[in-house]
Amino acid sequence: MTLLTLPTTPYNDQRPGTSGLRKKVTVFQQKHYLENFVQALFDVLPAAQGLTLVLGGDGRYYNRVAVQTILRMAAAKGYARVLVGQGGILSTPAVSAVIRAAQASGGIVLSASHNPGGPDGDFGIKYNIGNGGPAPEKVTEAVFARSQQLAEIHTSDSADIALDQLGDYRVDGMQVTVIDPVAIYAELMRSLFDFEAIRALFAGGFRLRFDAMHAVGGPYAKALLEGELGAPAGTVVNAVPLEDFGGLHPDPNPVNAEDLIAHLFADDAPDMGAASDGDADRNMVVGRRFVISPSDSLAVLAAHAKLVPGYRQGLAGVARSMPTSTAVDRVAKSLGIPCFETPTGWKFFGNLLDAGKVTLCGEESYGTGSDHVREKDGLWAVLFWLNLVAASGKSVETLVRELWTAHGRCVYSRHDFEAIPTDKADALMLRLRAALPKLPGTTVAGCAIALADDFAYTDPVDGSVSQKQGIRVILTDGSRVVFRLSGTGTEGATLRVYLERHEPDATRHDREAQTALQPLIALAEALAQIRASTGMERPSVTT
Ligand code: G1P
Ligand code: ZN
């Protein structure tokens, strides 16, 4: 076994987006494409002698090939040890948990999250730092810069290891330990939630349907919900991770998890439904014939956190991404704790969590998490809800309705316009940006505009500034329309339009969201002329 240095030439498209580098599998299969990105990362990181790296992914197509390739490169980089999940499997929150528990210097997550998988689907790679969270922008930008200068790859001619067998291996001078993907994560969950109370809930006949969408959440949900908490066999469906997610789109929202929604609206519907995404960091929670907006879910968790053992002492503060609804702000205000507004993407929560400024955080995109790891965490959110239901004796729907009664309802929706030609999407954003200074004080489509800007964020911990994080137009009554381009797509551009309107009147809380949001939908169209400039008559996905 010898270390090898191979010549390579740079690719110019290796800039990580909202959450790592995501491309079509066929792009990753180009010669040295993966190797180049990993080498650029390793070149940017300090020397690895004596350090531990965590490695695993969501099991999608190309996961296994990538694991073996990265092990050889990690040996050449000089890592003392790599902890890799059995079969190459580790959910994103589990990577975060293992990095923290093992005091590793960082970890590599192989996933394109909720994007479809398979040979024609997407693949992705992301680096997490020693706190367990996504690398901040200064690291990802340095990796991108390095990727454009690359001339050599350092690897070895070591053979593949037996990834499916737990135990210790050697790749050149480096130790590789194949670990149980669930154990460390499960231990962490036990330390946070009242497992006795949840067990009693299931023993009393409470019915849950957890749809793992043939993704990596399956083994975790099976082990905890069915294995430990006594939920009946069959509670977790689509539990075996498949390389192509069974051809489904592993994105837990009412559109892609339509089978789950159908079950929750059937006559014999279970009490609660839940789903997680490709890498198990997202969650959707559904009540019996009752859909919940992720922004409301975050607010409910914040409002009742003291019912959960791990949060009994109360929350230091909460944070939400800018486009997420202000429901959690209202709860924070009533609790007398700070609420931070960050740009989209989990990496912006890391500093706040590390500094102890926030305990709970979330995004409108079905992401919720806390300071237990530095990623959003799908199964954690489901356990949190189960704990709340068990401790309060209230149904999922009642908990949400009580939130609305106390604070008004933040009616919310996101409209996605997918696969727009990039030049058209860029032109639309440019036009919007140019119009911003003139908007405040005017009335457009019957809406009185109070503020219009391009969201910029100064990190309260390290002072770093992130510009152009989404165009927001705020009305005099606090309603908002936000426009931004996705940073995770792999085909053309995706325009996201986020709509929020506060409804204090309880007699109007049951109005259908799209109807209630109609004035804002008209405003968005008037401002951005989405239909005229994209040719799309309606959003591709509405959540
Ligand atoms: C999307 C979501 C964002 C989330 C990210 C990773 O990013 O909108 O909230 O953090 O996926 O799961 P986007 O495609 O909008 O850049
Ligand atoms: Zn994900």
Side-chain angles (χ1 to χ4, degrees), residues 204-436:
F206 184 87
R207 285 164 62 221
L208 170 74
R209 184 180 176 90
F210 187 110
D211 191 336
M213 305 191 89
H214 288 306
V216 79
Y220 296 84
K222 268 238 173 251
L224 285 171
L225 297 170
E226 295 184 15
E228 256 182 76
L229 293 166
T235 296
V236 184
V237 298
N238 298 326
V240 178
L242 300 177
E243 285 199 328
D244 66 349
F245 307 117
L248 300 174
H249 191 159
D251 194 2
N253 61 42
V255 178
N256 291 319
E258 57 177 349
D259 179 64
L260 179 70
I261 297 290
H263 276 91
L264 267 293
F265 279 78
D267 287 343
D268 62 342
D271 301 287
M272 175 172 150
S276 55
D277 73 328
D279 59 336
D281 59 352
R282 292 187 177 198
N283 76 90
M284 175 174 70
V285 169
V286 193
R288 194 155 198 247
R289 295 193 206 102
F290 191 78
V291 169
I292 308 172
S293 114
S295 300
D296 279 348
S297 174
L298 173 65
V300 169
L301 302 195
H304 300 290
K306 283 190 173 174
L307 292 178
V308 173
Y311 306 93
R312 193 144 280 158
Q313 69 289 3
L315 307 175
V318 292
R320 63 163 171 86
S321 66
M322 184 272 282
T324 302
S325 100
T326 54
V328 74
D329 304 39
R330 297 163 202 275
V331 170
K333 199 168 168 210
S334 72
L335 293 173
I337 57 171
C339 176
F340 295 84
E341 185 177 39
T342 60
T344 295
W346 211 260
K347 61 189 169 208
F348 293 102
F349 294 133
N351 278 348
L352 295 170
L353 292 163
D354 282 353
K357 288 181 180 297
V358 308
T359 312
L360 224 64
C361 40
E363 296 192 273
E364 51 65 43
S365 50
Y366 297 87
T368 336
S370 87
D371 60 356
H372 69 290
V373 287
R374 293 295 180 272
E375 289 279 4
K376 52 187 177 251
D377 189 343
L379 185 52
W380 167 90
V382 176
L383 292 169
F384 205 127
W385 268 98
L386 288 168
N387 200 148
L388 291 191
V389 169
S392 68
K394 293 172 182 164
S395 72
V396 169
E397 175 172 349
T398 301
L399 287 165
V400 177
R401 287 196 179 277
E402 285 183 357
L403 172 83
W404 295 350
T405 307
H407 303 286
R409 177 180 177 191
C410 291
V411 186
Y412 193 85
S413 180
R414 182 175 108 183
H415 292 188
D416 291 337
F417 297 84
E418 295 177 334
I420 305 173
T422 310
D423 53 339
K424 287 193 176 161
D426 289 343
L428 183 151
M429 291 301 278
L430 270 179
R431 261 200 334 271
L432 264 177
R433 224 169 249 132
L436 291 177

Side-chain angles (χ1 to χ4, degrees), residues 149-166:
Q149 310 286 319
L150 219 61
E152 286 178 345
I153 291 160
H154 304 289
T155 181
S156 97
D157 64 358
S158 237
D160 285 359
I161 65 149
L163 209 46
D164 296 303
Q165 295 293 320
L166 297 179

